[in-house]
Amino acid sequence: MSALTLQSTLKLTSGAEIPRIGFGAYLAHEEAVYDALKAGYRMIDTAEFYRNEAECGRALARWIGETGNKREDVFYVTKLWNDHHGYSATARAIDDSLSRAKLDYIDLYLIHSPLSSRDLRLETWRAMQDAVKAGKIKSIGVSNYGIHHLQELFGWPQLEIKPSVNQLEVHPWLPRKDIVSFCHEHGIVVQAYSPLTRGKRFKEPVIQELCRKYANKSPAQILIRWSLQQGLVPIPKSNDPERIRANLDVFGFGISDDDMAKLDNKSYSPVTWDPTTSSL
Ligand SMILES: NC(=O)c1ccc[n+]([C@@H]2O[C@H](COP(=O)([O-])OP(=O)(O)OC[C@H]3O[C@@H](n4cnc5c(N)ncnc54)[C@H](OP(=O)(O)O)[C@@H]3O)[C@@H](O)[C@H]2O)c1
């Protein structure tokens, strides 16, 4: 684990490489996305629902223009909202996302949640497969999918492109070992959203203890490092330039196995929504 660096990547089933950490753009300003790229993040996680795809695209274009980096240097993720499931609505939503961000392609396109119906989810996947064939998207995946939703997709006879990613809320108070293990067994990378528990668990005694032990690391750094050591891809968000930088300073230390065990628990405390349990 000590060999992990900011440049480390994981290979997706699509063949693409995903950075080990990304910048979560929900409620993030354009300037914060730009600051994140300047700080060294090479993945932006946005969504139709966040209403900031245009801002993310502008921040990316500005950073490319000012630094001479290339579009291919950044892994751009966006997501399909629940009311656009179905073949033609998805095809339109993909084109709309591309045009809002002024991009030629999306690195990873996710179904934001399974909250529609079996038929709509599978028609959505068909449209996403076609968008990959058309060169609009490099990799496709899901978010907030439970094991039963993934099995539905794996059992679908028209499945040609397997999901590369499942983006889930995961942190020590929501470890989701069942879904994470299922994903890893199937080569699906798990992106961990709300990896900082939106700050709700920063004062937990175990977090405070580890902050003192690891040379005054912050609660955010302990939680991000936990996520990395679980084999997850954390996507912390911040609008503060100093915290944006500090949240990347997680590659110079490692949490010991004993201390990882202290963070190991079986609790179920989401800080956001939980569509993984939906029976729709
Ligand atoms: N697929 C989904 O359904 C889904 C759902 C939720 C989130 N997400 C994705 O995951 C990303 C991250 O999740 P999130 O935004 O819910 O929560 P988060 O990253 O766990 O926490 C963000 C909060 O923590 C604060 N924060 C960040 N760094 C900090 C630090 N070093 N010290 C103290 N406070 C700090 C931020 O405030 P400041 O901005 O003031 O720093 C913000 O209030 C989202 O932006 C989004 O991209 C996906």
Side-chain angles (χ1 to χ4, degrees), residues 114-115 144-146 148-149 176 179 268 274-280:
L115 297 180
N144 297 299
Y145 263 44
H148 58 297
H149 299 116
R176 294 194 192 281
I179 312 182
Y268 176 83
D274 187 11
T276 65
T277 57
S278 156
S279 57
L280 280 175

Side-chain angles (χ1 to χ4, degrees), residues 8-21:
S8 299
T9 58
L10 286 173
K11 188 110 167 159
L12 299 177
T13 52
S14 63
E17 308 262 347
I18 187 169
R20 284 305 319 266
I21 185 165

